[in-house]
Amino acid sequence: MCGIAGWIDWERDLSHEEETVVAMAERLASRGPDASGTWLSEHVALAHRRLIVVDPAGGGQPMTRRRGEHDYTLVYNGELYNTAELRTELQARGHTFRGHSDTEALLRAYMEWGVDCIQRFNGIFAFAVWDAREHRLVMARDRLGVKPLFYRPQAHSLLFGSEIKAILAHPSVKAEVDAEGLAEIFALGPARTPGHGVFCGVHEVKPGHALIFDRRGLRTYPYWSLQSRPHTDDVETTASTVYALLKDSVERQLVSDVPVCTLLSGGLDSSALTAFAANHFKREGRAPLHTYSIDYEGNDVHFKPNAFQPNSDAEWVRVMSQTLGTTHHVVTLDNHDLAEELLTAVKAQDLPGMADVSSSLYLFCREIKRAFTVSLSGECADEMFGGYPWFHRPDMLQADTFPWSRALDHRASWLSPEVRSAVRVHEYALRRYQESLAEVPRLEGESPEEARIREIFYLNYVWFMVTLLNRKDRMSMATGLEVRVPFCDHRLVEYVWNIPWSMKRYGGREKGILRKALEGVLPEGVLYRKKSPYPKTHNPVYLDAVRTRLLEILDEPSAPLLPLIDTNKIRAMAMAQDDAFDTPWFGQLMTGPQLFAYLIEVNTWLEHYNVRVRI
């Protein structure tokens, strides 16, 4: 993976602006620690930071190729998993290649098919092509939003970057947030409205969208969307199709010129990927697959089962590693480090995020990066197959807001009267919720129950799943680790989208059809294990650490958080001797300790980015 940045300006000569565009790219150095490059012309300045995964010698960027009288220049972040097929077709059309990188395959695909090339890609990507023939910049982001891409249009110019920090590095951009930006933070956060950049003037290219910028202006459009169609396959055919698509996706994503490992929690999703990967390694005669799991100091003593986390992972990790013969590594995190790295997590994401659920992932990835550059992870299966409680509990299924974020009264109670009035937590969340429902691709003839579950799936695809993908990308890339997500293969996504709910919960179980598809692949205990989410710390040492830090912030008269919150309310919660809020206020994992950590992150964000709040 890599980091990309650029500046297009129709009224300014950018051929001497290398210093500025290098500064933008330098903010992305952790995404691409191995190499850097720039390309400048009169009105275009592009920069790239490279993490070398494929074709060390031939994949350098920015990459320029000529066809006829015109040059095409690419900066690209991602991986194409159908590079071999693309190369074969392009060679048949007269293209010659200087190396074997997917970068060159993508660029030549654009040269051959223009913006329609995107339809041919299987992979995760965010790219920008300067097309000298058409005198335009073309940008696109992968279908599910695995790779990020932000932009900021100005009067006659456009700035873009893999992360917001690259745009903020431009001297013309100020870090400002208005009432709507605060609503994103306090009413929806750590989720974010699709396409919203929170900072004033900053936008994100939505998943499955492309952008064209030329002298006529800026245009964005969807090149892909979910399509609802009747599902005609029976259970056996459906299960075998899911098996085949997932196996093919995993095996495609094992291609790399550097070592590959997998993340293994002992749950259904990560175990499936690991099984396919380990078996593929064996067939090819490769050394045993390395696997990694995460744990926390003291969790063996302090873990308490609940409805969201029914059991711990350690026993099941051992079962899977022994069954598959993997070389397994357990990364045990220190709870003080978990609190300390909240700052790093904010800087990696440019926004407040999922508190220790993010900082733990950063620390986990940092340890993996010591030995590996590429890993596979099981994200997105729960959103696709219906693994979360809100697919099954009537109170959550019928909520009149995002089912993973129902505690709106609690959210509003954190805020100062001025911010509460400006943000209007309930109204803002309801507006975004209704906007998303209006986008759901309906299927004629569905029962009200099936129609509602389709709504819940859509909300998960475009909101919750993207939130987790954002977290995974930023925390992993902050360490220079590329994490691939085989469940996000668009062929699998398109197929599973239309499997009816009665079949998805085959056997009366969450993710029932996926379990059936994996019969014979996984041990029965793992195959039918009740879902358990990403593990978090249960050690009171962490709660004490974030409580203490939050109280210190409340005692700092100049802390930028203070004007935004009800300090008396937050102080009372922090002073309580037990967990002040046991019910999750976001997702399954974010309760009282994560609330304290989130507020610490908000203060860190305001301070580190010197954010000016305008309400």
Side-chain angles (χ1 to χ4, degrees):
M1 296 302 165
C2 304
I4 66 175
W7 177 14
I8 296 84
D9 196 318
W10 306 123
E11 296 190 346
R12 186 166 176 171
D13 184 354
L14 301 185
S15 59
H16 304 292
E17 294 287 351
E18 185 172 22
E19 183 178 349
T20 297
V21 78
V22 166
M24 294 172 67
E26 281 300 307
R27 297 288 182 92
L28 306 172
S30 64
R31 296 187 72 90
D34 299 329
S36 62
T38 58
W39 182 89
L40 293 92
S41 67
E42 184 179 2
H43 296 297
V44 183
L46 305 176
H48 187 262
R49 294 289 315 202
R50 188 181 183 199
L51 176 67
I52 297 176
V53 173
V54 174
D55 194 3
Q61 298 183 51
M63 179 179 285
T64 299
R65 296 291 184 266
R66 170 162 285 219
R67 195 176 200 194
E69 300 299 316
H70 303 286
D71 288 338
Y72 301 82
T73 303
L74 169 71
V75 285
Y76 159 56
N77 166 31
E79 295 289 343
L80 295 186
Y81 305 125
N82 63 334
T83 299
E85 295 96 320
L86 285 170
R87 282 173 60 91
T88 298
E89 186 171 2
L90 288 164
Q91 285 170 334
R93 291 171 173 265
H95 290 265
T96 57
F97 289 78
R98 302 180 193 176
H100 66 273
S101 72
D102 57 333
T103 304
E104 189 172 15
L106 191 156
L107 179 54
R108 290 195 172 277
Y110 177 86
M111 294 163 65
E112 180 66 30
W113 296 298
V115 294
D116 291 339
C117 68
I118 311 169
Q119 303 290 350
R120 299 170 180 267
F121 298 156
N122 179 320
I124 53 179
F125 53 82
F127 69 82
V129 174
W130 173 248
D131 182 336
R133 176 181 177 181
E134 302 294 335
H135 210 63
R136 67 183 183 183
L137 183 82
V138 175
M139 301 202 303
R141 190 175 176 206
D142 64 71
R143 295 168 179 85
L144 278 301
V146 179
K147 292 289 106 182
L149 185 56
F150 293 88
Y151 66 98
R152 190 178 193 273
Q154 296 174 299
H156 302 284
S157 67
L158 180 76
L159 302 171
F160 71 86
S162 293
E163 297 176 10
I164 296 171
K165 58 175 62 70
I167 295 172
L168 294 178
H170 193 277
S172 71
V173 179
K174 305 301 180 187
E176 296 182 324
V177 175
D178 58 15
E180 183 167 293
L182 287 183
E184 292 287 317
I185 298 296
F186 289 119
L188 302 176
R192 184 161 41 83
T193 301
H196 208 298
V198 180
F199 289 92
C200 292
V202 176
H203 308 274
E204 187 171 24
V205 177
K206 292 181 182 180
H209 279 64
L211 177 154
I212 297 174
F213 183 62
D214 57 24
R215 289 184 179 273
R216 293 174 293 177
L218 183 149
R219 303 179 299 286
T220 63
Y221 66 93
Y223 67 84
W224 179 86
S225 62
L226 291 165
Q227 302 294 317
S228 295
R229 302 182 180 91
H231 183 80
T232 57
D233 290 346
D234 61 18
V235 168
E236 296 297 332
T237 303
T238 300
S240 64
T241 303
V242 168
Y243 168 89
L245 288 170
L246 182 57
K247 180 174 181 289
D248 182 68
S249 177
V250 172
E251 292 180 354
R252 284 177 180 272
Q253 297 190 28
L254 292 172
V255 174
S256 172
D257 290 341
V258 295
V260 179
C261 65
T262 69
L263 309 186
L264 177 63
S265 71
L268 180 70
D269 314 329
S270 67
S271 296
L273 304 186
T274 300
F276 286 129
N279 291 333
H280 184 74
F281 273 36
K282 289 174 185 175
R283 287 196 304 273
E284 292 196 336
R286 295 163 68 175
L289 177 71
H290 285 249
T291 53
Y292 284 80
S293 64
I294 188 172
D295 205 347
Y296 302 84
E297 288 186 355
N299 263 15
D300 55 337
V301 175
H302 298 287
F303 176 80
K304 295 178 181 178
N306 58 50
F308 296 102
Q309 282 191 293
N311 48 46
S312 64
D313 291 331
E315 173 191 349
W316 302 104
V317 169
R318 283 194 296 273
V319 167
M320 282 306 306
S321 180
Q322 290 171 4
T323 300
L324 297 172
T326 72
T327 302
H328 189 69
H329 312 265
V330 179
V331 177
T332 302
L333 302 185
D334 177 87
N335 288 279
H336 290 288
D337 291 346
L338 202 58
E340 295 262 339
E341 297 299 343
L342 290 171
L343 168 60
T344 305
V346 171
K347 291 164 65 177
Q349 195 154 332
D350 298 318
L351 295 166
M354 296 186 74
D356 55 276
V357 184
S358 290
S359 63
S360 64
L361 183 58
Y362 167 77
L363 290 166
F364 186 36
C365 291
R366 191 175 70 180
E367 288 303 307
I368 297 170
K369 175 62 178 178
R370 297 183 191 279
F372 289 88
T373 300
V374 178
S375 181
L376 270 60
S377 179
E379 260 79 11
C380 306
D382 288 309
E383 292 84 356
M384 291 168 57
F385 290 94
Y388 294 122
W390 45 81
F391 286 100
H392 306 275
R393 284 176 40 179
D395 60 323
M396 304 181 85
L397 186 61
Q398 299 303 326
D400 59 355
T401 188
F402 300 107
W404 54 80
S405 185
R406 297 181 299 153
L408 297 179
D409 287 338
H410 190 65
R411 283 175 173 266
S413 74
W414 309 339
L415 306 178
S416 68
E418 181 185 15
V419 172
R420 194 179 308 144
S421 175
V423 165
R424 299 187 178 277
V425 167
H426 291 81
E427 292 90 337
Y428 191 78
L430 179 62
R431 173 158 64 92
R432 295 308 193 188
Y433 172 73
Q434 291 176 336
E435 288 171 352
S436 294
L437 291 186
E439 300 170 355
V440 176
R442 307 290 177 176
L443 183 61
E444 187 176 350
E446 276 192 321
S447 68
E449 294 76 16
E450 287 279 359
R452 177 55 179 167
I453 203 71
R454 191 177 292 275
E455 290 178 347
I456 297 296
F457 272 103
Y458 185 80
L459 294 173
N460 274 267
Y461 273 68
V462 302
W463 283 85
F464 199 75
M465 186 163 82
V466 173
T467 300
L468 297 187
L469 289 172
N470 285 340
R471 160 182 163 265
K472 179 60 61 84
D473 173 84
R474 302 313 188 282
M475 297 308 117
S476 61
M477 294 307 297
T479 70
L481 177 70
E482 173 185 312
V483 177
R484 299 173 178 177
V485 279
F487 280 101
C488 275
D489 186 300
H490 71 277
R491 301 165 304 160
L492 179 62
V493 168
E494 290 170 347
Y495 185 78
V496 172
W497 168 253
N498 284 306
I499 299 174
W501 180 232
S502 58
M503 194 180 292
K504 279 179 180 164
R505 59 190 307 271
Y506 176 80
R509 289 296 308 273
E510 76 279 1
K511 300 192 285 191
I513 194 65
L514 179 60
R515 296 178 196 276
K516 181 169 179 56
L518 296 171
E519 287 177 350
V521 176
L522 302 178
E524 282 206 6
V526 174
L527 187 64
Y528 296 109
R529 178 190 174 196
K530 184 174 175 58
K531 174 186 163 46
S532 186
Y534 175 84
K536 72 171 184 177
T537 183
H538 296 268
N539 195 325
V541 167
Y542 175 73
L543 173 58
D544 290 342
V546 292
R547 175 192 281 130
T548 298
R549 177 58 190 138
L550 181 58
L551 289 171
E552 290 173 352
I553 291 170
L554 296 178
D555 288 336
E556 296 171 7
S558 61
L561 175 67
L562 301 190
L564 306 181
I565 62 171
D566 183 331
T567 54
N568 291 330
K569 168 85 172 182
I570 298 301
R571 188 182 297 277
M573 292 173 64
M575 292 292 289
Q577 291 302 305
D578 56 1
D579 192 337
F581 191 56
D582 291 325
T583 303
W585 55 274
F586 184 86
Q588 304 171 82
L589 303 177
M590 299 184 71
T591 57
Q594 287 70 40
L595 169 58
F596 299 159
Y598 188 72
L599 294 174
I600 293 169
E601 286 193 316
V602 173
N603 190 74
T604 298
W605 171 65
L606 294 167
E607 205 165 56
H608 178 76
Y609 290 88
N610 194 24
V611 178
R612 179 190 172 209
V613 177
R614 297 192 286 119
I615 56 174

